[in-house]
Amino acid sequence: MKKSIGARTLAFPTPVWVVGTYDANGKPNAMTAAWAAICCSKPPCVSVSLRKATYSYGSIVARQAFTVSIPSEKHVKEADYLGMATGREVNKFDHARLTPVESILVDAPYVHEFPLILECRLLHTLEIGLHTLFVGEILDVKADEEVLGEKGFPDIEKVKPIIFGPEIRTYHGIGKYLGKAFAIGKDL
Amino acid sequence: MKKSIGARTLAFPTPVWVVGTYDANGKPNAMTAAWAAICCSKPPCVSVSLRKATYSYGSIVARQAFTVSIPSEKHVKEADYLGMATGREVNKFDHARLTPVESILVDAPYVHEFPLILECRLLHTLEIGLHTLFVGEILDVKADEEVLGEKGFPDIEKVKPIIFGPEIRTYHGIGKYLGKAFAIGKDL
């Protein structure tokens, strides 16, 4: 018997991704978002949902671009900080001792210390309610050499992305390997 | 030095969520989606991106509703199967020995065996490219009693959601607890 918990943003897993932008003065900013996903294969796209009140919101609209920097679990404190402070008041990169790197492809900075980066140009904007969903076309993915695995792709066990649990407000790491996708279901 | 990997759908983590629908004849269907996320807090919403070619696509458009059933890692084979077979040819619930339960709130079925369920009414449809992004308003979240933790919310370590690694095509479980969100970043 399932118990009703009400209309809540309660689903697992959600990602911990850091959205990079430049403000009107060219100051780099970074904010953590968990309401985010890959949302299309062709063209490859991600969505990030931000509240209009965030400082990053205006920067995305103005620059029509953003990056997504995916932190490793060793940077979980920095990721948490980037979700609490506002770029309106501080330079979050400086405070968190992180290094902004200017993307060559889009008008936005990414986080040098994080192992996996997406560079995105704004493709669609969808107003939903408290949050606005931005769809960005992924123009390139960049990764640190040391997280690359077989076939030259990033290895999830080396990237060690962070998982966020909404409502329960916890962070978790990546756990054990469960199987090969598009393969293990053939046994049924 | 970061290495360019090209414009790919490469980001971690992505979820393994199962979208439940009824077709025109009332046959229940379930398909696995990883291009999915929470996308708004008020109203609480999720997005799921589906290819137009999927059988579920037409069902969501026709019924204006879907559910999201979140499988536990013990059902990883079933989740993988539901992402490969098509409801156009088979009754996937029957084949995977899963039980469809009719939602009282929306015109869609959910998966009885999976511990966490979202019941959604279609709010927005955004054509992106190969995929169409459906935004569903979460009308209720339901969970099995045995996955509930403190404060009556589902415990992510009991739900044991599955994580998908795009491109590398692997499934992983939830790993170790890393810290409290909106808290550990205050140390910086």
Side-chain angles (χ1 to χ4, degrees), chain A residues 1-17 34-47 49 70 73 76-78 80-81 83-84 95-96 110-118 123-124 126-133 135 138-146 148 152-157 159 161-188, chain B residues 1-17 34-47 49 70 73 76-78 80-81 83-84 95-96 110-118 123-124 126-133 135 138-146 148 152-157 159 161-188:
Chain A
M1 181 63 187
K2 287 189 165 53
K3 193 178 168 184
S4 170
I5 300 169
R8 290 180 171 274
T9 52
L10 229 172
F12 306 140
T14 72
V16 175
W17 291 352
W35 296 177
I38 295 172
C39 66
C40 186
S41 296
K42 287 181 187 179
C45 293
V46 283
S47 65
S49 291
I70 301 177
E73 59 181 44
V76 65
K77 280 188 184 181
E78 285 79 0
D80 193 46
Y81 165 77
M84 290 190 292
H95 186 92
Y110 62 79
V111 183
H112 170 72
E113 287 78 4
F114 295 176
L116 192 56
I117 306 295
L118 314 179
L123 210 58
H124 295 285
L126 179 65
E127 303 287 346
I128 302 176
L130 183 61
H131 286 77
T132 300
L133 181 142
V135 174
I138 302 167
L139 299 185
D140 195 20
V141 176
K142 289 183 170 68
D144 288 339
E145 299 260 10
E146 54 268 35
L148 298 180
F153 286 136
D155 181 336
I156 197 167
E157 294 184 352
V159 172
I162 304 163
I163 289 133
F164 173 60
E167 301 286 4
I168 59 173
R169 296 185 159 209
T170 57
Y171 294 121
H172 288 259
I174 276 287
K176 68 174 186 288
Y177 174 76
L178 298 176
K180 196 80 195 143
F182 306 102
I184 54 172
K186 289 176 185 166
D187 293 354
L188 286 189
Chain B
M1 182 65 189
K2 287 187 163 56
K3 193 177 168 184
S4 169
I5 301 169
R8 290 179 170 275
T9 52
L10 229 173
F12 306 140
T14 71
V16 175
W17 291 352
W35 295 178
I38 295 173
C39 64
C40 186
S41 296
K42 288 182 186 177
C45 292
V46 283
S47 65
S49 290
I70 300 177
E73 59 181 44
V76 66
K77 281 189 184 181
E78 285 80 359
D80 192 47
Y81 165 77
M84 289 189 293
H95 186 93
Y110 62 79
V111 183
H112 170 71
E113 287 78 5
F114 295 176
L116 191 57
I117 306 295
L118 315 178
L123 210 56
H124 295 286
L126 179 65
E127 304 287 346
I128 302 176
L130 183 62
H131 286 76
T132 299
L133 181 142
V135 174
I138 303 168
L139 299 184
D140 195 21
V141 176
K142 290 183 169 69
D144 287 338
E145 300 259 8
E146 54 268 34
L148 298 180
F153 285 136
D155 181 336
I156 196 168
E157 293 183 355
V159 171
I162 304 163
I163 289 132
F164 173 60
E167 300 287 3
I168 59 173
R169 296 186 159 209
T170 57
Y171 295 121
H172 289 259
I174 276 287
K176 66 175 187 291
Y177 173 76
L178 298 176
K180 196 79 193 145
F182 306 102
I184 55 171
K186 290 176 184 164
D187 293 354
L188 285 189

Side-chain angles (χ1 to χ4, degrees), chain B residues 68-140:
Chain B
V68 172
S69 299
I70 300 177
S72 224
E73 59 181 44
K74 71 178 172 187
H75 283 115
V76 66
K77 281 189 184 181
E78 285 80 359
D80 192 47
Y81 165 77
L82 296 173
M84 289 189 293
T86 172
R88 201 171 272 117
E89 291 160 12
V90 289
N91 184 320
K92 293 201 263 182
F93 275 97
D94 285 353
H95 186 93
R97 300 186 183 201
L98 295 170
T99 316
V101 178
E102 188 176 358
S103 163
I104 295 163
L105 296 171
V106 300
D107 190 12
Y110 62 79
V111 183
H112 170 71
E113 287 78 5
F114 295 176
L116 191 57
I117 306 295
L118 315 178
E119 293 160 281
C120 308
R121 72 178 182 97
L122 186 63
L123 210 56
H124 295 286
T125 302
L126 179 65
E127 304 287 346
I128 302 176
L130 183 62
H131 286 76
T132 299
L133 181 142
F134 292 114
V135 174
E137 181 184 352
I138 303 168
L139 299 184
D140 195 21

Side-chain angles (χ1 to χ4, degrees), chain A residues 83-133:
Chain A
M84 290 190 292
T86 172
R88 202 170 273 119
E89 292 160 11
V90 290
N91 183 318
K92 294 201 263 181
F93 275 97
D94 286 352
H95 186 92
R97 300 186 182 201
L98 296 170
T99 315
V101 177
E102 187 175 358
S103 164
I104 296 165
L105 296 172
V106 301
D107 190 12
Y110 62 79
V111 183
H112 170 72
E113 287 78 4
F114 295 176
L116 192 56
I117 306 295
L118 314 179
E119 293 160 281
C120 308
R121 71 177 182 98
L122 186 62
L123 210 58
H124 295 285
T125 301
L126 179 65
E127 303 287 346
I128 302 176
L130 183 61
H131 286 77
T132 300
L133 181 142

